[in-house]
Amino acid sequence: MQQFAPLAQHIYFLLVHDFSMNAFSMAIEPLRLANRMLGKPFYRWELLSKDGLAVRASNGVVVGVDNSIAAVQRDCLGPARGRMVIVCSGIEVETFDEPAVLAWLRRMHAQGASIGGVCTAAWILGEAGLLDGRRCVIHWENLPGFAERFPEAQPQSCLFEVDQNVFTCAGGTASLDMMLHLIGISLGEDIVTKVCE
């Protein structure tokens, strides 16, 4: 598995309509626990949506967000190195049609941000053109359609993949595995063990 720079300390979680609450919570909770183990707010995160409005998860729960992608873009006029975007999606990702979101992802990546996706979000990263020639993972139910839609991507049959500054996972508890791996790169296995305990 090719690795990349440690997990950024400033993380944007972009919530997409019908996102998987399970995959999202498994991605954000390890960050909270890592901060607790460190005794300080090492990681910071913001929840985003396209327009700054609350987003309904696939389980029907509506989640409020902190900002819109436009507001974040205004804050990131220069290099976005040291920042990370994690796209959280879920069911019916094949119908995703948000050119402004795809353009924002491309822009953030071009400015140096690491870009990731949980559950089915590899589909969105593929639409943004960020997976050409890269190893990636998507939820197994979406794999056949994904492989046909994005022939330049390199889907793998594992829990998660880290390919330089783009990373993806299969969703559910795979989000936890991926985040623990990324935290380990940043902070070491001792903190990962404490988070797991």
Side-chain angles (χ1 to χ4, degrees):
M1 210 179 291
Q2 187 175 1
Q3 296 182 350
F4 71 118
L7 183 61
Q9 289 178 251
H10 193 119
I11 303 162
Y12 301 111
F13 285 92
L14 175 62
L15 305 183
V16 175
H17 182 70
D18 279 331
F19 71 96
S20 166
M21 181 67 77
N22 188 25
F24 165 64
S25 63
M26 290 285 183
I28 200 169
E29 277 297 293
L31 301 174
R32 178 187 70 82
L33 291 169
N35 284 349
R36 185 175 177 205
M37 295 304 104
L38 291 168
K40 61 182 179 181
F42 183 79
Y43 293 115
R44 294 186 308 128
W45 53 86
E46 291 181 60
L47 304 187
L48 308 180
S49 67
K50 174 191 164 189
D51 49 17
L53 300 177
V55 183
R56 184 178 302 277
S58 59
N59 63 5
V61 174
V62 177
V63 178
V65 300
D66 302 305
N67 241 326
S68 67
I69 59 174
V72 168
Q73 187 59 43
R74 285 193 297 273
D75 293 341
C76 293
L77 293 177
R81 288 186 296 277
R83 297 179 190 236
M84 177 176 282
V85 177
I86 300 178
V87 182
C88 303
S89 61
I91 61 173
E92 299 182 7
V93 70
E94 299 88 350
T95 64
F96 184 84
D97 184 23
E98 297 288 351
V101 171
L102 302 178
W104 180 75
L105 290 171
R106 285 190 292 270
R107 195 174 308 119
M108 290 294 285
H109 185 256
Q111 290 175 301
S114 298
I115 309 291
V118 300
C119 195
T120 62
W123 193 285
I124 295 171
L125 301 190
E127 291 288 2
L130 300 179
L131 295 181
D132 290 356
R134 293 186 189 272
R135 294 182 317 281
C136 57
V137 180
I138 193 166
H139 192 279
W140 65 270
E141 291 179 325
N142 303 86
L143 187 53
F146 178 87
E148 184 176 334
R149 175 72 181 88
F150 305 106
E152 299 303 314
Q154 299 173 9
Q156 307 293 305
S157 57
C158 53
L159 293 178
F160 65 89
E161 270 291 348
V162 179
D163 193 330
Q164 297 177 33
N165 64 344
V166 177
F167 54 98
T168 50
C169 74
T173 57
S175 299
L176 174 62
D177 293 316
M178 181 178 73
M179 295 305 286
L180 290 174
H181 174 76
L182 296 176
I183 290 169
I185 294 172
S186 300
L187 300 175
E189 291 305 313
D190 182 54
I191 292 296
V192 170
T193 299
K194 290 178 180 177
V195 169
C196 291
E197 291 173 349

